[in-house]
Amino acid sequence: MSDTSDISAPPPGEAAEVRAGVAEACADLAGIRDVLAGTPDESALDALLAAVRDGTHDDRAAALDALDEALQRAGDAAGLYEDTAARHWGVDRAPDQSGTDPGYGALPVTPRPAAAVFLCPTGSCSRRWLPTAAQAAPPSCALLGEPLRWERL
C-alpha cells in the first residue's frame, strides 16, 4: 500500500489550507508560545490571532506563513504543519466505546434525535469538537475565547 494519495493537498493560500493552518495553531497555542518565547519572532502568534479576529482571508494566510517561518527559525524544523492530521482531525477525540451518553445533553432539545459537532465560531479554522461522556460541555475557542458554534450532523 502506498503512502501517497490521489487527493492533492490544497494549494498554499486556498481557504482549506488556511483553515487547516489556523486549526493547527489553535491546537498548539501553548507549544507555539514556548518555542517562540524570547525570539525576535515572538509576536508572530499574536499577529495570527489578530488576523483571525479582525483580518481577511489574505491576512490570515500571510500571518500563517509568517508564523510557520518564525517557528522554523526558532528551531522547530517542521514549523506549523507538523502532525496536522493527528491534531486537527481529532485523533484525541476517539469515539467513546463505553456505551455511555456521548454528552449531547447540553444541545437544544428537538423532537428528533440529533448528533452535533462543535465548530470554530468564526469559520476561520477547520478544527471540530465532538462531545464525549467525560467532557460534555464544549470548550471555548482557544484563539478567540468565544463559545464554539454547533451544527447538527
Side-chain angles (χ1 to χ4, degrees), residues 33-152:
R33 284 203 191 281
D34 287 346
V35 169
L36 295 179
T39 70
D41 294 315
E42 193 168 11
S43 65
L45 181 57
D46 294 326
L48 175 62
L49 299 178
V52 168
R53 246 183 258 107
D54 304 318
T56 65
H57 166 80
D58 291 338
D59 295 335
R60 288 188 291 275
L64 283 168
D65 289 344
L67 179 58
D68 182 53
E69 291 168 9
L71 286 167
Q72 290 180 34
R73 279 191 298 274
D76 184 341
L80 181 63
Y81 303 104
E82 178 183 0
D83 203 15
T84 299
R87 285 198 206 142
H88 85 90
W89 290 115
V91 170
D92 61 330
R93 292 279 163 214
D96 181 11
Q97 302 299 318
S98 68
T100 60
D101 173 17
Y104 299 118
L107 295 177
V109 177
T110 62
R112 61 189 169 119
V117 62
F118 290 81
L119 304 168
C120 174
T122 66
S124 300
C125 155
S126 63
R127 289 187 75 200
R128 52 118 177 107
W129 181 85
L130 297 172
T132 65
Q135 186 182 9
S140 295
C141 169
L143 295 175
L144 303 174
E146 296 176 14
L148 299 182
R149 65 183 169 85
W150 73 274
E151 288 189 12
R152 181 184 305 271

